[in-house]
Amino acid sequence: VMLDEAHLLEKEALEEFRFLLNFSYDSVSPMALVLSGQTELLDKLRMRRYDALRQRIDIFCSLPHLDRSETEEYIQSHLRYAGCTRELFTDKAIDEVYKGSTGVSRMVNRICEKSLMYASQQHKKLVDDHMVRFVIEHEMQYEGKGVIESVRR
């Protein structure tokens, strides 16, 4: 069983999956559980109330933040995979993507996606650093907690 966005699950839901893991505990378990989530998942699992579940984790993997060169390669590999054969981001634009994302893959994706959309709206074929800064300052302000807080109101 694979649970994505597991950091959003409440204790009761995680406990239910732990109980399923206990089925036939003395013999070969018929189930493997993969939890996937943001860094809040690790913070949650470190809490004492999750000791029983944490003790059953066999493998832990974490994606580190990318450095500047890894961010550029990450962007270029996505563009190649999409069939892009020309430059779409200037070097300074990639610098701004890296600064704005702090190397977090999910944020690199969001900033690049919004920057490409902005460039298209401006009828530009190349994303420069000014466009990326504009996107970060004007469109990314609604990312994260701000969106959640405004939805709750």
Side-chain angles (χ1 to χ4, degrees):
V1 175
M2 182 168 217
L3 298 175
D4 193 12
E5 303 289 343
H7 59 279
L8 299 174
L9 294 173
E10 296 296 328
K11 182 181 187 306
E12 294 76 24
L14 289 169
E15 282 295 312
E16 290 294 326
F17 283 100
R18 184 179 67 83
F19 289 138
L20 288 173
L21 286 171
N22 284 344
F23 180 77
S24 301
Y25 193 71
D26 293 332
S27 62
V28 177
S29 178
M31 184 175 98
L33 177 64
V34 177
L35 300 175
S36 172
Q38 295 181 19
T39 54
E40 295 88 15
L41 176 59
L42 180 58
D43 296 338
K44 182 182 273 193
L45 291 174
R46 286 183 178 141
M47 298 169 91
R48 187 166 184 81
R49 64 181 171 182
Y50 293 102
D51 283 350
L53 180 61
R54 191 180 59 252
Q55 292 165 0
R56 287 166 174 75
I57 295 175
D58 291 326
I59 299 172
F60 172 79
C61 297
S62 177
L63 293 177
H65 291 222
L66 304 172
D67 65 23
R68 166 53 175 84
S69 65
E70 291 169 330
T71 300
E72 181 174 10
E73 179 53 36
Y74 180 78
I75 293 167
Q76 297 305 332
S77 69
H78 277 266
L79 292 172
R80 280 191 304 274
Y81 183 77
C84 182
T85 58
R86 64 180 182 82
E87 181 182 19
L88 288 182
F89 290 87
T90 66
D91 284 338
K92 288 184 179 182
I94 293 174
D95 288 341
E96 292 299 322
V97 171
Y98 172 68
K99 284 186 224 171
S101 68
T102 64
V104 175
S105 304
R106 183 181 298 233
M107 291 306 296
V108 170
N109 294 342
R110 299 290 294 147
I111 292 170
C112 287
E113 174 190 359
K114 289 178 179 285
S115 296
L116 287 167
M117 288 174 33
Y118 181 69
S120 176
Q121 291 166 350
Q122 302 301 311
H123 304 289
K124 303 290 184 184
K125 294 184 178 190
L126 189 63
V127 176
D128 64 22
D129 54 319
H130 302 288
M131 291 178 191
V132 175
R133 272 196 305 274
F134 179 87
V135 164
I136 292 169
E137 292 169 6
H138 294 91
E139 296 189 35
M140 301 304 289
Q141 66 184 351
Y142 301 109
E143 296 290 321
K145 291 183 180 177
V147 172
I148 294 168
E149 289 168 3
S150 63
V151 169
R152 287 183 183 156
R153 287 185 215 148

